[in-house]
């Protein structure tokens, strides 16, 4: 996402080299969405994997409504006709004949989930999609969708700063149903890297400038937590980002983390985190400094929060 949307500034050449380097390092799972850009991130990913399609498990998403001019409307759209149009557009931009994992990005409160998932099941039967996923859905919605067609993955924000899924039954539900869990923003939108010391460092146009956790008193309180995480990372001989990623991975074999980056240097740092083992004592120390609910401020502004856990 950050290569094309939300985090200010674009460098498609470096982004392409970063994707290529990821493949060289054995990264196989690439996650995009039609709304990233909108549209331009799918084109970027499609271009980067051309000739290497078989090396990639390719995921994209639909449902954050985009109008015919390529502008986000701010609405969620789960209607079957919109889904079919969005899917064909994603296939075209990615330059592929099928998508490995196709997510409903957000749940449309005005369309029964069975109606959306009935249409998604048809896309699987047509060979356009191999597996289906859903993002930021509530447990009951997950159950209803799964009854219509098996869910392969539920994607929800999960990090030391965002542990909602541990106490709202999302994680318990996917484990009961045998569904994989994909953790997005496992670095707290970069906050847990420790590299962001003031809100003013964020580029103009960066969406984090409007995030409650990056503003005012919340920023300072969260920075204090980050500095405690950094201290634990120093003691371990790793970076704060690596410690935060290793913590997510330590929460279960069924969890896949998808840290985003625009640059090869951060990519290599992130990939190395997969080799870090945390001892019970280290996990307990992390728990002490970053317990459930530690982050100050909501993870999204109010309008976006209304779209999650439906």
């Amino acid at each position: 996402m950050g290569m094309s949307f939300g985090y200010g500034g674009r460098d498609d050449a470096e982004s392409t080299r970063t994707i290529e380097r990821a493949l060289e390092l054995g990264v196989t799972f690439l996650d995009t969405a039609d709304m990233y850009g909108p549209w331009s991130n799918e084109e970027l990913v499609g271009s980067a994997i051309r000739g290497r399609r078989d090396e990639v498990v390719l995921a994209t998403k639909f449902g954050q409504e985009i109008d015919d001019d390529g502008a986000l409307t701010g609405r969620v759209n789960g209607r079957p006709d919109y889904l079919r149009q969005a899917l064909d557009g994603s296939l075209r931009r990615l330059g592929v004949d099928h998508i490995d994992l196709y997510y409903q990005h957000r749940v449309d409160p005005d369309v029964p989930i069975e109606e959306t998932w009935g249409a998604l099941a048809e896309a699987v039967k047509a060979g356009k999609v191999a597996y289906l996923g859903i993002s930021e859905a509530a447990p009951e919605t997950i159950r209803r969708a799964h009854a219509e067609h098996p869910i392969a993955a539920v994607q929800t924000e999960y990090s030391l700063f965002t542990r909602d899924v541990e106490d709202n039954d999302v994680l318990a539900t996917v484990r009961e149903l045998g569904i994989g869990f994909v953790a997005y923003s496992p670095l707290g939108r970069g906050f847990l890297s420790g590299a962001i010391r003031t809100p003013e460092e964020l580029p103009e146009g960066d969406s984090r400038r409007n995030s409650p956790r990056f503003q005012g008193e919340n920023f300072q309180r969260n920075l204090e937590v980050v500095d405690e995480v950094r201290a634990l990372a120093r003691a371990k001989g790793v970076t704060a980002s690596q410690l935060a990623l290793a913590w997510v991975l330590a929460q279960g074999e069924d969890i896949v983390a998808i840290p985003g980056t625009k640059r090869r240097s951060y990519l290599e740092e992130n990939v190395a985190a997969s080799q870090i083992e945390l001892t019970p004592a280290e996990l307990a120390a992390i728990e002490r400094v970053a317990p459930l609910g530690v982050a100050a401020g909501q993870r999204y502004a109010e309008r976006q929060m209304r779209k999650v856990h439906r």
Side-chain angles (χ1 to χ4, degrees):
M1 183 190 79
M3 292 176 172
S4 307
F5 179 83
Y7 284 10
R10 281 178 58 181
D11 183 343
D12 286 355
E14 174 62 14
S15 293
T16 297
R17 288 191 289 268
T18 299
I19 294 171
E20 292 170 346
R21 178 62 177 147
L23 299 181
E24 291 171 5
L25 291 170
V27 173
T28 57
F29 185 39
L30 299 183
D31 179 279
T32 182
D34 59 2
M35 74 165 290
Y36 302 160
W39 297 341
S40 57
N41 195 245
E42 287 184 326
E43 293 169 346
L44 174 74
V45 171
S47 175
I49 66 170
R50 196 156 295 134
R52 306 182 71 172
R53 174 68 179 93
D54 293 345
E55 300 176 45
V56 172
V57 176
L58 185 60
T60 192
K61 316 178 195 73
F62 82 96
Q64 303 268 29
E65 190 180 73
I66 305 166
D67 66 22
D68 292 340
D69 296 321
L72 289 164
T73 69
R75 295 186 294 269
V76 175
N77 192 333
R79 296 194 312 270
D81 58 339
Y82 181 79
L83 182 167
R84 296 183 191 103
Q85 173 187 330
L87 174 56
D88 287 344
S90 289
L91 289 166
R92 184 178 63 254
R93 287 185 292 272
L94 288 162
V96 298
D97 62 5
H98 76 282
I99 290 161
D100 297 308
L101 177 58
Y102 196 47
Y103 288 102
Q104 182 175 4
H105 206 162
R106 293 291 187 271
V107 176
D108 185 341
D110 299 321
V111 177
I113 197 69
E114 292 80 4
E115 190 174 325
T116 304
W117 275 70
L120 283 167
E122 291 173 5
V124 174
K125 289 177 184 174
K128 294 182 177 183
V129 175
Y131 298 97
L132 299 178
I134 196 166
S135 180
E136 292 288 5
E140 183 58 27
T141 303
I142 293 168
R143 293 182 185 279
R144 288 169 57 194
H146 191 63
E148 190 71 26
H149 186 283
I151 298 176
V154 168
Q155 183 176 143
T156 297
E157 185 170 352
Y158 190 41
S159 72
L160 286 172
F161 268 1
T162 302
R163 297 174 59 179
D164 313 23
V165 297
E166 293 178 23
D167 70 350
N168 64 12
D169 285 337
V170 167
L171 201 51
T173 298
V174 299
R175 285 177 166 162
E176 175 193 334
L177 298 174
I179 298 168
F181 185 86
V182 177
Y184 78 82
S185 292
L187 296 177
R189 295 180 174 79
F191 212 147
L192 288 161
S193 71
I196 305 166
R197 308 305 296 173
T198 67
E200 291 72 30
E201 293 173 33
L202 298 170
E204 289 297 327
D206 191 307
S207 62
R208 290 172 291 185
R209 283 178 171 258
N210 299 316
S211 168
R213 291 183 178 172
F214 286 82
Q215 295 178 349
E217 186 178 326
N218 287 346
F219 185 95
Q220 293 307 318
R221 287 169 59 192
N222 291 329
L223 188 61
E224 290 171 9
V225 177
V226 169
D227 284 343
E228 292 194 70
V229 172
R230 290 176 75 196
L232 293 176
R234 281 195 299 273
K236 178 76 170 173
V238 300
T239 68
S241 292
Q242 289 172 329
L243 190 76
L245 287 172
W247 178 87
V248 172
L249 296 175
Q251 303 313 300
E253 290 292 324
D254 54 346
I255 294 177
V256 174
I258 50 169
T261 182
K262 306 178 190 181
R263 298 177 181 87
R264 285 166 285 175
S265 57
Y266 292 140
L267 165 76
E268 291 168 359
E269 178 183 340
N270 291 343
V271 169
S274 66
Q275 304 303 311
I276 296 170
E277 298 285 341
L278 297 174
T279 67
E282 288 166 340
L283 287 167
I286 294 169
E287 183 69 26
R288 284 193 293 272
V289 303
L292 183 70
V294 72
Q298 293 191 126
R299 56 193 177 103
Y300 285 119
E302 189 57 43
R303 182 179 178 184
Q304 292 168 296
M305 282 300 298
R306 289 197 292 268
K307 296 181 181 180
V308 304
H309 292 157
R310 283 174 164 169

